Amino acid sequence: MAEKARVLPQEELSPVTWSMIQVARNLIKSHLVRTPLVYDEHLSCRTGGSVWHKLESLQVTGSFKVRGALVKVLTSPPEKRMGGLVCASTGNHGRGLAYVAQKLGIRAWIVVPERTPANKIEAIRELNASVVIWGRDYGEAEEKAFALAKERGFLFCPSFDDRWVVAAHASVLWEILEDCPDADLLVVPVGGGALLAGCLLVRDRLKPSLGVVAVEAIGSPALTSALECGEPERVREVTTSADGIAVPQIGRTPFEVIAHRLAGPVIKVSDEEMEEGMAHLIGRVRVVAEHAGAAAVGALLTGRIEGTEGRTVITVVTGGNIGWNRLLSVLSKRIGDGS
């Protein structure tokens, strides 16, 4: 799609510039794969629209998160990054950063909370990164990662609360619009908010008519809490199994973008509804997704998103890093209840 677009007044309010998004996109094109956009005939018939899925589950590390890790590292001063990298992660960002570190020959330390799935921890270790298990949730793991960065002089690489990470994740919608310029509605899972924020910036620049719907887990309503309070606020407890979006507080940088651009309510889905989305993707699209990756699909399946009839709808399948035991457990439940 051509880059011609009117300059919106909201851009003055954004911490992320269009030139940053362009730099990020070029780095991603040079170093990562371009993930496919696939048609879903069953869900199209069910919703009355034309439904497509952007399969970030097929990215090199099984998640869109590697986009942000790559751009954050490559836009940092060489002397800073060569001293070592550190991040907090519920799994996917850590795997992305470990992948980037291995490619560049840099040591990486990944701090993950105690509830992080074993398959994600093992995947990080396979990339020769050091794993530090710390805290009950992402927030506590992040505090530890900050401390390590300060004590040892590591480059801290945020999972979502960073201008360059937002710019990197904006590339997801840019690719979608190139492949499907007729898109009418985008459905995006949200945890820390960088993907949603990046997509909103690209929407405003390249296709202002595109509707954007945010989907979050009932057990981790960080965006809803922030919108109600007018600023990021830590939720009391995170209870979802969707570790990819299980964060107690949305990032301040993404929220500055989202608060001025997101129209309409945030759609909330249960773990069970995300599992419906997982089962649908496996059975109908032949694609494996983790809970967070299937959040947008679950919202469509359960009829929570209105106005799909006659429209081209795109969901972002954000990741597919789920362990065999957990996947079999989800599928056995769906088979057991006749789904």
Side-chain angles (χ1 to χ4, degrees):
M1 173 173 283
E3 294 179 25
K4 295 179 182 178
R6 61 194 178 93
V7 177
L8 300 177
Q10 292 102 320
E11 288 184 346
E12 299 175 5
L13 303 173
S14 174
V16 183
T17 66
W18 186 248
S19 62
M20 290 174 67
I21 293 172
Q22 291 174 307
V23 168
R25 179 175 183 265
N26 288 333
L27 288 172
I28 288 164
K29 286 175 69 175
S30 298
H31 295 278
L32 300 177
V33 303
R34 187 186 181 98
T35 55
L37 192 65
V38 300
Y39 180 66
D40 187 332
E41 184 172 4
H42 180 82
L43 198 47
S44 295
C45 293
R46 185 162 174 168
T47 61
S50 176
V51 178
W52 298 74
H53 305 300
K54 175 65 167 172
L55 300 183
E56 284 297 287
S57 53
L58 299 182
Q59 191 48 265
V60 290
T61 59
S63 164
F64 78 100
K65 286 287 191 176
V66 69
R67 294 175 184 257
L70 175 81
V71 172
K72 177 61 179 178
V73 173
L74 292 184
T75 55
S76 299
E79 64 276 12
K80 182 65 175 176
R81 65 179 182 242
M82 293 309 295
L85 312 173
V86 66
C87 76
S89 174
T90 54
N92 287 337
H93 176 63
R95 185 174 180 178
L97 186 64
Y99 172 84
V100 172
Q102 185 183 65
K103 291 293 183 182
L104 297 176
I106 305 172
R107 288 294 308 278
W109 283 258
I110 315 299
V111 185
V112 299
E114 295 162 358
R115 294 176 56 190
T116 304
N119 70 294
K120 292 189 174 183
I121 293 174
E122 183 59 30
I124 292 169
R125 286 177 172 150
E126 287 176 357
L127 292 166
N128 298 320
S130 299
V131 176
V132 179
I133 300 174
W134 187 276
R136 294 167 298 174
D137 58 26
Y138 176 85
E140 293 185 0
E142 186 178 56
E143 291 173 4
K144 180 64 173 179
F146 273 134
L148 286 173
K150 185 175 181 180
E151 292 167 7
R152 304 187 189 181
F154 297 152
L155 173 66
F156 179 72
C157 301
S159 175
F160 48 81
D161 199 2
D162 183 89
R163 298 168 72 224
W164 280 111
V165 173
V166 172
H169 295 331
S171 62
V172 172
L173 180 55
W174 198 333
E175 291 175 10
I176 289 171
L177 291 176
E178 286 179 335
D179 292 342
C180 185
D182 295 330
D184 296 307
L185 186 66
L186 179 73
V187 188
V188 188
V190 57
L195 176 60
L196 174 61
C199 288
L200 288 168
L201 289 169
V202 170
R203 184 276 309 271
D204 283 359
R205 183 79 182 202
L206 298 183
K207 191 169 186 181
S209 63
L210 180 72
V212 178
V213 175
V215 178
E216 69 181 352
I218 290 174
S220 183
L223 176 55
T224 296
S225 175
L227 290 171
E228 290 174 351
C229 298
E231 62 178 1
E233 182 174 89
R234 189 181 179 92
V235 299
R236 188 169 301 174
E237 186 179 11
V238 174
T239 58
T240 180
S241 297
D243 49 270
I245 51 176
V247 297
Q249 182 173 313
I250 194 169
R252 189 164 295 276
T253 300
F255 185 69
E256 288 180 31
V257 174
I258 294 166
H260 297 291
R261 290 168 172 80
L262 183 66
V266 179
I267 305 299
K268 297 181 185 64
V269 290
S270 66
D271 287 8
E272 291 73 22
E273 288 166 334
M274 284 184 266
E275 289 175 0
E276 284 187 43
M278 294 166 68
H280 171 85
L281 286 168
I282 291 172
R284 300 288 185 171
V285 191
R286 302 297 187 263
V287 168
V288 174
E290 58 190 283
H291 284 76
V297 178
L300 278 174
L301 278 170
T302 53
R304 292 185 178 275
I305 299 176
E306 300 177 350
T308 58
E309 189 168 353
R311 304 176 77 190
T312 298
V313 182
I314 315 292
T315 80
V316 183
V317 179
T318 53
N321 294 321
I322 183 169
W324 283 111
N325 289 339
R326 201 172 182 195
L327 179 60
L328 290 172
S329 175
V330 170
L331 292 178
S332 65
K333 281 197 293 183
R334 309 322 302 178
I335 293 169
D337 65 15
S339 299

